[in-house]
């Protein structure tokens, strides 16, 4: 078991200034790109949208932006501004992914891209998976479009691929529609009025492509390296993920299925997503504390012989990510654990 960690009281003014800086700068770039010389900012607008997604909305929707629920909800709604949905994100990300990280049956991030991408060796292998480490980089520019379609589908079906929208009220569901209308206005309608539809279409495509690649390169890498997956027989991660989810040590699972990279600089630019282990253990704590927390968590893991994956740079972990996707694309299918949901489903089909 990992111990409880007491965080000293932080400098509130410094905490507020860092979050305010992220919010104001990202929003300023995003808005200026939609109303200014559009063709000059095709990539910048995507970077601004990704930065808002990585920092402002992510921290707000986790309730970690402020002690005020109103501020957290307001910052969380910036996800709708950049093309996502704060409602769908909370169910998909918090209910499905954070609770059941890298669980084949319960973590939507693992199975939602299948059969196009095979993130886990327990999934059936298709002939084209041996090339997935190559074609995934061609697909990631369309990631934002996939999110858009998924949000609409989830709203109509009252569920994401990993969870049902239990408890979502009419107002929250209305924010999905209103948020999309605002986003489409900023990213397409206003630019078209100012610069014409060809420029608006090109700009929108560049926005989605840039945002998709940035989000994939900074988020997907944190849970898709060999150490975080049940690829090696007998590894701690394999043993954890092949154990019934009701019997696992939740804290240990978060450590084993996540990987860190970089330090304070990466923490600033990704809203703490580079320190994924600490984020998964303490999602409702502001990311400004993660560098300090990481020292404690790593020390406690070493005392308990719990593997703690950390890479020095983003390029290093991106390389490990690409290598893992190649390995899992070639790996034979692993058997499912006894009593698993998928095993029960396959038995019914037979």
């Amino acid at each position: 078991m990992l111990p409880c960690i007491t965080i000293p009281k932080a400098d509130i003014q410094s905490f507020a200034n860092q979050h305010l800086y992220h919010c104001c700068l990202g929003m300023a770039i995003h808005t200026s790109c939609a109303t200014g010389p559009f063709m000059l900012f095709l990539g910048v607008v995507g970077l601004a949208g990704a930065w808002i997604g990585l920092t402002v909305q992510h921290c707000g929707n986790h309730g970690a932006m402020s002690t005020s629920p109103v501020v957290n909800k307001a910052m969380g709604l910036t996800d709708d501004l950049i093309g996502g949905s704060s409602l769908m994100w909370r169910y998909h990300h918090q209910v499905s992914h954070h609770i059941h990280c890298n669980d084949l049956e319960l973590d939507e991030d693992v199975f939602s891209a299948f059969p196009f991408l095979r993130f886990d060796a327990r999934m059936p292998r298709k002939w084209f998976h041996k090339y997935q480490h190559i074609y995934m980089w061609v697909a990631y520019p369309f990631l934002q479009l996939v999110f858009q379609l998924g949000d609409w589908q989830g709203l109509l079906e009252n569920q994401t691929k990993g969870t049902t929208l239990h408890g979502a009220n009419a107002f929250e569901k209305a924010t999905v529609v209103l948020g999309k209308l605002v986003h489409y206005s900023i990213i397409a309608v206003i630019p078209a009025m100012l610069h014409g539809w060809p420029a608006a279409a090109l700009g929108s495509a560049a926005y989605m492509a840039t945002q998709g690649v940035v989000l994939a390169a900074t988020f997907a890498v944190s849970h898709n390296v060999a150490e975080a997956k049940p690829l090696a027989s007998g590894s701690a991660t394999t043993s954890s993920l092949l154990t019934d989810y009701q019997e696992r040590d939740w804290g240990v699972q978060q450590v084993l299925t996540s990987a860190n990279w970089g330090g304070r600089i990466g923490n600033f630019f990704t809203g703490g997503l580079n320190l994924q282990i600490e984020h998964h253990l303490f999602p409702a704590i502001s990311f400004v504390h993660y560098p300090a927390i990481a020292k404690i968590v790593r020390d406690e893991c070493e005392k308990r012989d719990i593997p703690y994956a950390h890479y020095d740079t983003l390029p290093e972990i991106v390389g490990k990510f690409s290598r893992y996707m190649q390995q899992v694309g070639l790996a034979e299918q692993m058997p499912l654990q006894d009593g698993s949901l998928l095993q029960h489903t396959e038995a019914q089909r037979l």
Side-chain angles (χ1 to χ4, degrees):
M1 295 288 289
L2 290 174
C4 295
I5 297 177
T6 302
I7 306 302
K9 185 175 181 181
D11 182 345
I12 298 177
Q13 186 62 45
S14 174
F15 164 81
N17 287 343
Q18 186 164 351
H19 281 300
L20 185 62
Y21 178 80
H22 276 96
C23 184
C24 292
L25 182 59
M27 293 294 292
I29 296 174
H30 190 276
T31 304
S32 68
C33 287
T35 58
F38 198 66
M39 297 298 292
L40 299 179
F41 298 100
L42 300 181
V44 178
V45 69
L47 290 174
W51 202 17
I52 292 173
L54 291 170
T55 57
V56 181
Q57 76 83 19
H58 187 264
C59 208
N61 278 315
H62 271 299
M65 178 69 79
S66 167
T67 56
S68 169
V70 175
V71 173
N72 285 324
K73 289 180 180 179
M75 295 301 97
L77 285 171
T78 59
D79 190 24
D80 298 81
L81 179 68
I82 63 173
S85 165
S86 55
L87 174 66
M88 297 301 172
W89 185 92
R90 290 196 301 274
Y91 278 88
H92 155 214
H93 186 74
Q94 295 176 350
V95 177
S96 177
H97 171 66
H98 261 266
I99 297 176
H100 307 289
C101 188
N102 272 1
D103 186 292
L104 176 62
E105 301 160 317
L106 301 171
D107 183 356
E108 184 173 332
D109 284 351
V110 176
F111 59 79
S112 59
F114 187 81
F116 189 69
L117 292 174
R118 186 192 191 208
F119 284 116
D120 194 296
R122 291 169 290 177
M123 293 174 166
R125 187 183 63 180
K126 307 294 184 181
W127 67 267
F128 50 82
H129 287 147
K130 61 183 177 181
Y131 305 112
Q132 66 176 6
H133 64 292
I134 301 173
Y135 68 69
M136 68 180 182
W137 296 109
V138 180
Y140 280 140
F142 299 95
L143 184 64
Q144 218 264 357
L145 179 60
V146 173
F147 288 158
Q148 293 269 355
L149 297 175
D151 290 341
W152 285 113
Q153 182 180 1
L155 179 64
L156 295 174
E157 297 179 355
N158 197 46
Q159 63 180 9
T160 69
K161 290 186 177 181
T163 187
T164 303
L165 304 183
H166 291 304
N169 58 41
F171 173 77
E172 289 177 311
K173 292 179 179 179
T175 64
V176 180
V177 178
L178 294 175
K180 297 298 183 192
L181 294 177
V182 173
H183 170 70
Y184 297 149
S185 297
I186 292 176
I187 206 67
V189 177
I190 295 176
M193 293 173 62
L194 296 174
H195 307 290
W197 282 108
L202 181 60
S204 297
Y207 169 86
M208 290 189 291
T210 304
Q211 189 184 70
V213 172
V214 171
L215 291 177
T218 53
F219 182 75
V221 298
S222 298
H223 298 294
N224 294 287
V225 291
E227 300 94 319
K229 291 290 190 174
L231 191 61
S233 177
S235 71
T237 305
T238 301
S239 298
S240 175
L241 290 176
L242 293 183
T243 300
D244 186 275
Y245 76 96
Q246 296 180 2
E247 299 177 3
R248 295 177 197 147
D249 184 306
W250 178 86
V252 172
Q253 179 185 351
Q254 305 311 308
V255 175
L256 294 175
T257 56
S258 304
N260 290 357
W261 61 268
R264 290 183 179 275
I265 295 176
N267 185 68
F268 175 80
F269 282 104
T270 67
L273 292 183
N274 68 312
L275 301 179
Q276 194 71 199
I277 293 173
E278 287 66 38
H279 171 62
H280 264 255
L281 290 172
F282 309 103
I285 291 181
S286 170
F287 67 87
V288 300
H289 300 297
Y290 288 167
I293 296 174
K295 297 176 182 178
I296 302 172
V297 173
R298 189 167 193 168
D299 181 60
E300 294 297 334
C301 286
E302 289 177 356
K303 291 177 182 177
R304 292 160 174 78
D305 293 324
I306 299 173
Y308 183 98
H310 180 91
Y311 295 91
D312 291 334
T313 66
L314 177 59
E316 184 181 5
I317 196 173
V318 168
K320 291 289 186 178
F321 165 57
S322 296
R323 192 169 302 132
Y324 167 74
M325 292 301 288
Q326 181 181 25
Q327 290 175 324
V328 76
L330 294 170
E332 296 290 338
Q333 184 178 2
M334 292 177 61
L336 301 172
Q337 64 266 40
D338 291 338
S340 69
L341 297 176
L342 286 179
Q343 188 182 66
H344 178 67
T345 301
E346 289 185 357
Q348 285 185 322
R349 290 175 179 172
L350 295 175

